[in-house]
Amino acid sequence: MKILSFKSGHDGSVAGVDAAKGELLFSYESEKDSFPRYTSVTPDTFIDSGLWFRDLPDVLALSGWSTAGAQHVTTSGAGYFGIGDGSQNVGKRTFFGKVVDYFSSTHERAHIWGAYAMSPFKQGEPCYVLVWEGVLGDFYEIDAHLNLHHLGRVMEAPGQRYSFLYALADPKFPDTARRMRREDPGRLMAACAFGENGTTNPNEQSLIDYLLSPEPTAELLCKDKLTGSPFYNIGVDDPRLCNVAVKLSDAIFDRFHAAAEQKLTKGYPLIITGGCGLNCDWNTKWMRSGLFSDVFVPPCTSDSGCAIGTAVDAMRHYTGQAKLTWSVYAGQSFCDDRIDHEGLTMSEQNPRDVAQALMEGQIIGWARGNCEIGPRALGNRSILASPFSAEARVRLNRAKNRADISPVAPSCLEEDVGRHFDSTRPSPHMLYFQKVTDPALEAITHVDGSARVQTVARNQNPMFYDLLIEFRAISGSGVLCNTSLNFRGAGFINKTSDLCHYARSAGLDGFVAGNSFYRFV
């Protein structure tokens, strides 16, 4: 049984699952291949997905979706909310002349089943699930028989409350806007690192109390209601924003942690999903909380993973199975198209040659194999640099058109992570923070002494692992700066022609495209 699944709305994606094998065939996110961030499903994505099927799929799955704002009118499939009766639609549809099974379930269920399927916990092992994102802020339990139990809503729209603070401080955000910007949560996360988490002053406490009040968010998150706030339009670089940001962040986490202490008492593993699962600070706190036997966050924890989730929900419905074998490199395959070679030298890609160039201070684009699923560059769509100089961080940030002091993440050989950071736990998907213990790693050490580490094992990504091995042989450290390879406001680059254009415009020293190493002369 082959399942073709679609997620409409922002973060659109198309996924394929072989239910007989319990295998994720692909997950194509519409923003990848340099399309704008948060793109809905495109014709390109749909056509690319067809390459996986000799015949039409057996099951057509559609992830539920709704309008934004207070009404949440269903616009796709089974809608946004619900895990019980009425949260799935099952029937038959004619698809290109073939009658196929049709399955749709809610957005809420897509988050839950996608994260569960990708988790390392065996089917039949009970788990807790936390879904926290722009709209949902809920705990669940999945029992040994795959029954879903709702354990309660902790907070409506935690992600929107979080991102609204950035909009409040930003003079560019209109007073009358009623829809949050999707990029603001990441911006507020960055601001938190610069904040001082001391005693909360009265102005800060008043704002935090307002933002966490139980009023409906449609009424609460209105900038024109807060024109008298001391944080209104103060500017996004103001230290006062950074200080209140870290305190609001902690206050939101503390609400969920208190609910978990009260309701999640059986010591089961915790699965985290939803856009807030990209908050590495919160993930690290959950991992260190001591409440759970283990913690798992999927690499596509945001809405980009919901096509996978609905495919798994369909698989569970038709076969009783809800676990997948999968790879984080299940995105679009790299297109090595033609480029203008003027001003370039080309040689066969050799990890030692690339490692030597990096050691000499060069900034290198690196694109090989399939795109990563989710937003983190994990060694297939990366910009790489040596980790030893703060100047490298500045160069990378200028290439990315970011502030010079923005954090740059490291990739590290899994077996060496304890040499450089305060954790030996594998972190292959770059979703937790670690403290940097190696003072030589200036480029990847953020202002608060942390780094968002990706650990790399040979069986995870052999070519990227070999590059880190060669760099260690030359430098003594198997660590590299690793930031995402994309045009500003777009998904990962996926063509040699786009990569060449980006490398020229961003001032890179060279790039690897498939098996070729290009350098500017």
Side-chain angles (χ1 to χ4, degrees):
M1 176 184 285
K2 300 287 180 64
I3 302 171
L4 178 63
S5 180
F6 296 86
K7 191 275 177 184
S8 59
H10 70 76
D11 292 307
S13 56
V14 183
V17 164
D18 186 330
K21 297 179 179 178
E23 178 184 359
L24 176 66
L25 300 175
F26 65 90
S27 180
Y28 291 166
E29 298 164 20
S30 297
E31 70 173 39
K32 302 294 172 66
D33 199 11
S34 301
F35 281 91
R37 293 285 307 276
Y38 315 114
T39 295
S40 296
V41 171
T42 63
D44 303 72
T45 317
F46 177 63
I47 291 169
D48 287 346
S49 71
L51 300 176
W52 283 88
F53 295 90
R54 291 186 178 181
D55 300 308
L56 290 176
D58 305 291
V59 179
L60 191 64
L62 181 61
S63 191
W65 194 241
S66 71
T67 59
Q71 300 303 318
H72 282 286
V73 176
T74 296
T75 58
S76 182
Y80 207 99
F81 301 102
I83 62 168
D85 293 342
S87 63
Q88 67 180 38
N89 301 327
V90 181
K92 299 283 187 180
R93 292 285 177 91
T94 300
F95 187 60
F96 289 98
K98 176 183 176 181
V99 177
V100 300
D101 286 303
Y102 169 80
F103 180 92
S104 178
S105 59
T106 60
H107 182 74
E108 187 171 356
R109 284 172 51 151
H111 272 308
I112 294 168
W113 289 116
Y116 175 82
M118 299 176 78
S119 76
F121 316 125
K122 293 181 179 180
Q123 183 164 319
E125 179 181 3
C127 301
Y128 293 126
V129 180
L130 166 60
V131 179
W132 56 346
E133 45 128 63
V135 177
L136 296 164
D138 301 63
F139 282 116
Y140 310 81
E141 180 183 324
I142 301 177
D143 67 23
H145 305 289
L146 298 185
N147 297 308
L148 271 179
H149 306 276
H150 185 234
L151 303 182
R153 171 158 293 178
V154 180
M155 183 184 299
E156 177 193 348
Q160 290 186 19
R161 296 169 192 262
Y162 183 79
S163 63
F164 178 76
L165 175 56
Y166 194 92
L168 177 65
D170 187 359
K172 297 178 181 178
F173 189 84
D175 287 359
T176 56
R178 293 294 184 264
R179 183 176 296 182
M180 297 299 102
R181 295 176 298 202
R182 297 189 184 103
E183 60 270 25
D184 281 357
R187 292 168 172 172
L188 197 68
M189 278 186 244
C192 286
F194 295 92
E196 296 181 2
N197 192 4
T199 303
T200 305
N201 67 44
N203 287 333
E204 292 170 337
Q205 192 60 56
S206 176
L207 179 60
I208 291 170
D209 290 343
Y210 176 86
L211 292 177
L212 299 189
S213 70
E215 290 185 50
T217 53
E219 300 297 325
L220 191 70
L221 304 183
C222 303
K223 189 172 177 178
D224 51 8
K225 291 186 176 182
L226 292 173
T227 56
S229 168
F231 301 96
Y232 171 78
N233 283 349
I234 59 174
V236 296
D237 296 321
D238 194 298
R240 290 174 293 172
L241 171 62
C242 300
N243 291 340
V244 73
V246 70
K247 293 167 185 175
L248 174 65
S249 181
D250 287 350
I252 293 174
F253 179 85
D254 290 346
R255 290 278 184 97
F256 281 85
H257 184 271
E261 283 187 309
Q262 180 183 4
K263 298 180 179 181
L264 280 58
T265 59
K266 301 174 184 177
Y268 296 156
L270 175 68
I271 299 169
I272 299 171
T273 185
C276 294
L278 295 173
N279 189 314
C280 297
D281 179 48
W282 289 343
N283 293 344
T284 303
K285 288 180 177 180
W286 284 122
M287 185 178 65
R288 295 175 177 173
S289 69
L291 297 175
F292 311 104
S293 59
D294 202 352
V295 174
F296 172 77
V297 188
C300 48
T301 182
S302 67
D303 286 5
S304 63
C306 286
I308 298 173
T310 303
V312 171
D313 202 0
M315 181 173 73
R316 177 208 53 78
H317 174 80
Y318 291 108
T319 71
Q321 299 300 308
K323 302 298 291 186
L324 290 177
T325 57
W326 59 279
S327 166
V328 73
Y329 307 106
Q332 291 91 327
S333 58
F334 185 69
C335 176
D336 190 13
D337 59 355
R338 298 180 64 180
I339 64 171
D340 178 4
H341 287 76
E342 184 177 355
L344 287 170
T345 64
M346 183 183 72
S347 60
E348 185 176 352
Q349 188 274 129
N350 180 292
R352 177 166 286 273
D353 294 339
V354 180
Q356 184 61 49
L358 292 166
M359 189 61 194
E360 292 170 0
Q362 295 186 32
I363 307 294
I364 304 295
W366 176 272
R368 304 189 79 258
N370 288 28
C371 279
E372 299 89 334
I373 58 175
R376 306 286 195 237
L378 302 172
N380 276 18
R381 299 293 183 275
S382 297
I383 306 174
L384 306 175
S386 169
F388 304 121
S389 167
E391 180 184 352
R393 179 177 64 241
V394 171
R395 280 198 66 195
L396 283 168
N397 280 324
R398 289 180 179 175
K400 298 278 291 182
N401 197 21
R402 302 184 301 207
D404 289 353
I405 57 175
S406 297
V408 172
S411 293
C412 177
L413 291 167
E414 185 179 292
E415 61 265 33
D416 287 356
V417 65
R419 289 179 51 198
H420 308 287
F421 306 97
D422 71 343
S423 172
T424 58
R425 177 187 172 106
S427 181
H429 305 131
M430 205 182 277
L431 287 166
Y432 301 92
F433 279 138
Q434 292 85 10
K435 288 294 183 181
V436 183
T437 57
D438 184 348
L441 303 179
E442 291 185 14
I444 58 87
T445 304
H446 198 24
V447 65
D448 61 357
S450 71
R452 190 181 69 201
V453 182
Q454 177 205 10
T455 58
V456 182
R458 182 179 290 280
N459 62 357
Q460 170 189 338
N461 191 329
M463 187 59 73
F464 193 43
Y465 179 88
D466 287 345
L467 176 63
L468 288 163
I469 287 288
E470 294 292 348
F471 190 77
R472 184 179 66 180
I474 295 169
S475 71
S477 297
V479 181
L480 286 170
C481 296
N482 176 8
T483 192
S484 58
L485 181 61
N486 61 287
F487 292 96
R488 186 173 178 83
F492 294 158
I493 289 169
N494 205 46
K495 296 183 178 72
T496 303
S497 55
D498 287 345
L499 176 51
C500 182
H501 173 50
Y502 178 84
R504 292 183 195 276
S505 61
L508 304 190
D509 299 298
F511 56 93
V512 170
N515 293 319
S516 300
F517 184 19
Y518 297 88
R519 289 190 252 197
F520 293 105
V521 295

